[in-house]
Amino acid sequence: MTETREHPLVESAAAPAPAPRREVGAPVERYGGADRACGTQRFVADLRFPAAAQVVLVSVPVGCAEIHHIDVGEATAMPGVLAVMTAADLPSPMPRFGVSHQDRPVLAEGRVTYHGEPVAAVAAETLEVAQAAARAVRVDYTERRGVYSIEDALADSAPLVQEPAIRPDDPLAGTNVLEHARFAWGDNDEAEACTGFVVENVYTFPMVTHFPIEPGGTVVVPTDQGGLDVYSPVQHPYLLQRTIASLVGLPLTRVRVLAPDPGGAFGGKQTPKLEPLLAFLALLTGRTCRLVLSLEQTFQTMRRAGCRITARTGFTDEGEITFHHVGADFQIGAYADVAPRVMSKGSFVSAGPYRIPALRVNGRAVLTNTTPSTAFRGFGSPQVTWATENQLDAAARRLGLDGLEIRRRNLVARGEEFIRGDSPAAADGDWAQSLEKAAQLIGWDRPPAPNRGRGIAVGIKPGATSGLSQSLVRLLSDGSAIVYAGTSDMGQGARTLWQQILSDELGIPLDRVTVVSGDTNAVPFDLQTSASRSTVFMGSAVVEACRDVRGKVLELFAEATGVTEGELGHAPGVLITPDGDLPLVRAARQALGSLHGEFIGQGTRRLRGERGHPLGGDAAFYEFNATAIEVEVDVETGELLLTKHVTVSDVGTELNPLQVVSQDEGAAIMGLGHSQMEQLLLDDHGRIRNLGALDYRIPTFNDVPVEFVSAAIENHDGPGPYGSKGISEGALLCTAGALGAAVAHATGVVIPDLPLTPERVWTALQTRGTKPLTGNARTANEGNAEQC
């Protein structure tokens, strides 16, 4: 694997390069990186709670069942058992929670809606006793007909996943569609009249799991004041605090969430899942309750939504898109979680970053008796991007163009709208630079070797559409400093960035900066850690807090020295005085004098939503990526060897080039997972057949490309500190599109279904032969020869 830091082909004249800095822009090693790599990072499961009760969950071995009775008598009588909680032990009606729909019960009540849903929880003095008692719980149930696929769920006679009573006043409550999202613009008839040919196809994207290195887990401690301390590696501590406080009827001040740095989250740890159950169990027993899931159980708590996309796209004979119609059915699982948002946000950008006169999108969030899906890196964009990028390649083959040229003809320019209609959005970067850079680095113009092919694709994802991050910075009298920031550092390097920013803004060495996070009793409010927002939102709040500190140093320095405030100024790391620049730390000491003390600065970054906008507001920024892949196909086995993988992201400004590379590589390799090998497989009873690491494949170092190139485009045009944008998801958005195109180029076979496993590739080769592809076999030419 190689790491290449590249610079843009053309620097934007509109935004001058920022002034040189010391730490921001330097490849500072990530805080906690070595501990994660060496296995010394302490996750929730590693924290010691000597008197904790151990909790084990009870479930039934099917995906859909009616619960008649749960006999806990034998289990309760076992020595060492503290409690066996069922739905009967919880308030009536059953407490339910969720960020968009209050549909998720604390425990299953009367019915099981997915494989692994807990129906009871045992708390015991030891894990061994809890496990034995869980086995002694007798669940009398009848398996019911479940719906385990999108087709099953949308069938006329499909049983309902959720009781209509859970969704009162919802006109869709009698169906398995939880929500719709419809977007449209342009004159479709006019666009059809301008169309030379139409490409029509159906694509599928698999359900996949997050597979963090840290298993799920929660510890809840009842406090002497009648409150709860909740330990959970959650991405949104304040959301968890609000959820639990509401469910158990406590004020926010009595619920403290402590969130150790997660061992990977990728969106899967945003929302509460089993924490409310542990909270009720801790209140019932009066004991600290500790639950640590196995990897298999973690699979049953979160996943990415699978998707079936029907796409119909018109093109002129010159390769320009005239219209794009998309039907996207997201298989979201048994409960809403944040999946309706995933569906709507993904559907919103299903046209891609292209110039499209007319669009029709109908997205649906479809309930099934499967693990509830949640946020996952890319947030709905990888699914629709897979379809849209394939449509462009199909048209290119039809016209005798290549994948690069057809994208050149349709990609929007900076400032040009790619979302039209009532809620337009325009390109916030020179995205063509990323496309051209990817083509250059892959060697697009050179012919590939035999059995090799190349593909190129682009992807886009909206960043946060609203948000609030608050930060405090304390400059202490000895010249050290503390930054308080609620962002969860789940491996993206947030702590390191705050150190770098503070170091430059206050002129303090990195090793004298401490970052405090992950404790709702210690850090100011932060709405969430998601959507690649941390740098833009919390980073801006930290910058503002630092500048607030500098302003207060100036004020007190003036008071202490008699120099008027008008004669003073401040800049990163210095106080500007009539006698010249004074290091800020020295100025602060002089201002504080013999009383010592400290300076406290506060920073806030707020983005309010936009009433009436389908996403609640336009995105603060858009992540854009261009990916190019060269692949060698073994036509005897269907095995793929990625000989080169290039990813180029539009980053605004690299605050830490090392972290940009690591985030890009991580996203790209994660994208290879759902592109090549990852998929959750179900049996006829809705049970996941490939639970765990032995049967569920993720990319390892044996699977990464022979040559890997990560590059960035810097135009300093982002809304974050020093012109930065959010990154970390871009390189995953279009991995599948680039790989699929490369396979088609190498073999002549187009495969619309992911993942591209050796079996699937081999089968496709046997079915369709290995002749070079001259057109998409599924392309439909509707013969509208009328030209505009």
Side-chain angles (χ1 to χ4, degrees):
M1 181 179 297
T2 59
E3 294 181 355
T4 303
R5 286 265 43 91
E6 296 289 345
H7 296 288
L9 296 175
V10 180
E11 293 279 355
S12 168
R21 296 178 294 272
R22 294 185 308 158
E23 299 296 349
V24 172
V28 178
E29 290 190 2
R30 188 177 67 194
Y31 174 93
D35 288 339
R36 281 182 167 85
C38 297
T40 54
Q41 172 84 26
R42 296 184 73 220
F43 301 120
V44 162
D46 300 315
L47 303 181
R48 295 182 61 81
F49 298 88
Q54 306 299 317
V55 177
V56 172
L57 305 177
V58 179
S59 61
V60 297
V62 296
C64 184
E66 180 180 355
I67 305 297
H68 305 298
H69 178 68
I70 301 176
D71 182 355
V72 302
E74 181 182 351
T76 304
M78 295 177 70
V81 172
L82 300 169
V84 181
M85 175 177 279
T86 69
D89 301 302
L90 290 163
S92 182
M94 168 62 69
R96 294 179 182 267
F97 60 96
V99 291
S100 66
H101 296 65
Q102 304 289 307
D103 61 351
R104 187 169 189 145
V106 175
L107 268 176
E109 183 183 36
R111 62 189 299 182
V112 166
T113 55
Y114 67 91
H115 180 215
E117 183 173 21
V119 300
V122 176
E125 295 290 0
T126 68
L127 180 61
E128 292 74 16
V129 171
Q131 290 171 333
R135 290 192 294 270
V137 174
R138 305 295 177 224
V139 183
D140 180 15
Y141 70 93
T142 300
E143 183 178 3
R144 297 301 185 194
R145 176 189 164 204
V147 290
Y148 305 121
S149 67
I150 292 172
E151 291 76 14
D152 289 346
L154 297 178
D156 290 339
S157 60
L160 296 180
V161 176
Q162 292 189 351
E163 295 284 355
I166 297 175
R167 301 155 60 189
D169 305 321
D170 181 353
L172 296 174
T175 75
N176 284 320
V177 176
L178 187 64
E179 280 193 16
H180 280 282
R182 296 187 177 94
F183 307 109
W185 67 71
D187 187 322
N188 197 62
D189 292 339
E190 182 179 318
E192 293 251 10
C194 298
T195 297
F197 65 97
V198 175
V199 175
E200 192 166 6
N201 217 331
V202 179
Y203 305 91
T204 63
F205 193 102
M207 297 184 292
V208 297
T209 191
H210 296 66
F211 213 130
I213 59 173
E214 174 198 21
T218 299
V219 181
V220 179
V221 183
T223 69
D224 294 339
Q225 294 74 38
L228 296 171
D229 288 348
V230 182
Y231 294 78
S232 176
V234 68
Q235 292 175 237
H236 308 338
Y238 278 97
L239 171 63
L240 178 58
Q241 180 195 44
R242 188 168 70 247
T243 300
I244 290 183
S246 174
L247 287 170
V248 303
L250 287 172
L252 292 174
T253 53
R254 296 283 181 86
V255 178
R256 178 185 184 186
V257 173
L258 301 104
D261 289 351
F266 316 117
K269 297 174 182 174
Q270 289 188 16
T271 54
K273 295 177 177 62
L274 296 169
E275 295 91 343
L277 171 61
L278 268 288
F280 278 105
L281 202 50
L283 290 173
L284 176 69
T285 61
R287 294 280 299 272
T288 296
C289 289
R290 174 180 182 270
L291 170 68
V292 176
L293 301 178
S294 65
L295 181 61
E296 290 77 8
Q297 290 175 310
T298 303
F299 274 33
Q300 294 172 304
T301 62
M302 56 188 181
R303 66 168 174 84
R304 187 196 291 277
C307 197
R308 181 187 65 185
I309 308 104
T310 301
R312 184 172 183 269
T313 311
F315 294 87
T316 67
D317 290 333
E318 288 72 41
E320 295 173 343
I321 302 173
T322 55
F323 68 86
H324 190 45
H325 295 170
V326 176
D329 291 326
F330 287 76
Q331 184 174 3
I332 69 167
Y335 300 115
D337 199 277
V338 74
R341 179 73 170 169
V342 172
M343 179 275 295
S344 62
K345 210 168 178 180
S347 298
F348 187 71
V349 294
S350 58
Y354 298 119
R355 188 181 305 110
I356 300 180
L359 179 94
R360 299 286 184 275
V361 176
N362 182 16
R364 294 189 291 188
V366 181
L367 294 161
T368 56
N369 291 110
T370 55
T371 302
S373 67
T374 187
F376 199 145
R377 207 172 194 172
F379 210 77
S381 291
Q383 292 94 320
V384 295
T385 300
W386 164 239
T388 300
E389 292 303 289
N390 265 285
Q391 291 290 91
L392 263 77
D393 286 316
R397 288 188 289 268
R398 173 67 179 266
L399 294 169
L401 302 175
D402 64 25
L404 174 62
E405 181 57 32
I406 198 165
R407 286 169 176 80
R408 283 173 172 162
R409 297 186 183 188
N410 289 283
L411 190 65
V412 294
R414 173 189 284 274
E416 185 177 358
E417 290 182 355
F418 62 98
I419 303 288
R420 306 185 188 185
D422 296 333
S423 304
D428 64 352
D430 292 323
W431 295 340
Q433 293 180 7
S434 298
L435 178 66
E436 299 296 337
K437 191 69 176 178
Q440 173 195 327
L441 292 173
I442 198 72
W444 189 261
D445 293 333
R446 294 194 299 271
N451 288 332
R452 290 189 182 184
R454 296 193 189 106
I456 194 166
V458 300
I460 187 171
K461 174 191 172 292
T465 57
S466 63
L468 173 60
S469 294
Q470 295 174 302
S471 173
L472 290 177
V473 169
R474 294 170 60 196
L475 173 59
L476 308 185
S477 61
D478 67 347
S480 62
I482 307 172
V483 56
Y484 298 80
T487 300
S488 294
D489 194 336
M490 49 193 179
Q492 82 278 39
R495 290 175 184 268
T496 309
L497 283 182
W498 312 157
Q499 288 179 307
Q500 291 178 269
I501 290 172
L502 195 144
S503 177
D504 280 6
E505 292 292 331
L506 299 186
I508 296 174
L510 282 174
D511 61 2
R512 293 180 70 80
V513 179
T514 298
V515 178
V516 176
S517 62
D519 183 347
T520 55
N521 272 16
V523 299
F525 182 84
D526 185 36
L527 185 67
Q528 51 194 199
T529 304
S530 63
S532 302
R533 74 176 66 207
S534 297
T535 296
V536 170
F537 283 78
M538 186 57 79
S540 297
V542 171
V543 169
E544 185 176 306
C546 289
R547 293 173 183 175
D548 191 27
V549 166
R550 296 207 309 253
K552 290 176 177 175
V553 170
L554 183 152
E555 292 173 4
L556 193 62
F557 185 89
E559 178 184 314
T561 62
V563 180
T564 66
E565 292 185 20
E567 297 177 275
L568 300 172
H570 60 79
V574 298
L575 185 72
I576 302 170
T577 74
D579 297 326
D581 291 352
L582 189 62
L584 192 77
V585 170
R586 190 187 305 172
R589 287 180 182 149
Q590 189 173 346
L592 290 171
S594 60
L595 295 178
H596 298 287
E598 63 188 46
F599 295 95
I600 302 176
Q602 180 179 359
T604 298
R605 176 64 184 267
R606 186 190 307 270
L607 176 63
R608 296 189 185 278
E610 181 182 341
R611 189 182 300 275
H613 193 287
L615 299 185
D618 192 14
F621 58 88
Y622 285 86
E623 283 195 65
F624 180 87
N625 176 269
T627 291
I629 290 176
E630 181 180 273
V631 68
E632 183 173 309
V633 181
D634 186 332
V635 296
E636 299 297 327
T637 65
E639 190 170 5
L640 307 181
L641 174 65
L642 273 67
T643 52
K644 192 169 185 178
H645 187 146
V646 173
T647 171
V648 183
S649 293
D650 178 40
V651 302
T653 298
E654 290 183 324
L655 303 188
N656 185 325
L658 186 59
Q659 292 193 172
V660 172
V661 169
S662 63
Q663 287 296 303
D664 255 12
E665 289 187 346
I669 292 171
M670 180 171 271
L672 292 177
H674 66 238
S675 302
Q676 279 190 278
M677 60 193 73
E678 292 187 51
Q679 54 183 329
L680 289 170
L681 302 172
L682 307 180
D683 67 12
D684 293 340
H685 302 277
R687 295 174 297 208
I688 301 174
R689 292 162 51 196
N690 53 343
L691 282 175
L694 285 179
D695 297 316
Y696 183 94
R697 281 210 63 204
I698 60 172
T700 69
F701 274 105
N702 290 329
D703 302 300
V704 298
V706 175
E707 184 179 2
F708 196 106
V709 180
S710 171
I713 298 296
E714 288 188 275
N715 284 318
H716 320 295
D717 52 358
Y722 322 113
S724 58
K725 298 178 180 177
I727 63 161
S728 85
E729 300 176 82
L732 170 142
L733 303 177
C734 53
T735 312
L739 180 63
V743 171
H745 186 217
T747 67
V749 171
V750 177
I751 304 174
D753 305 308
L754 294 176
L756 303 179
T757 62
E759 179 184 8
R760 179 164 279 153
V761 172
W762 182 87
T763 301
L765 289 172
Q766 305 313 302
T767 302
R768 304 184 184 185
T770 57
K771 294 180 180 178
L773 188 69
T774 55
N776 187 346
R778 288 193 179 186
T779 298
N781 182 357
E782 296 190 350
N784 187 343
E786 184 178 351
Q787 300 297 303
C788 294

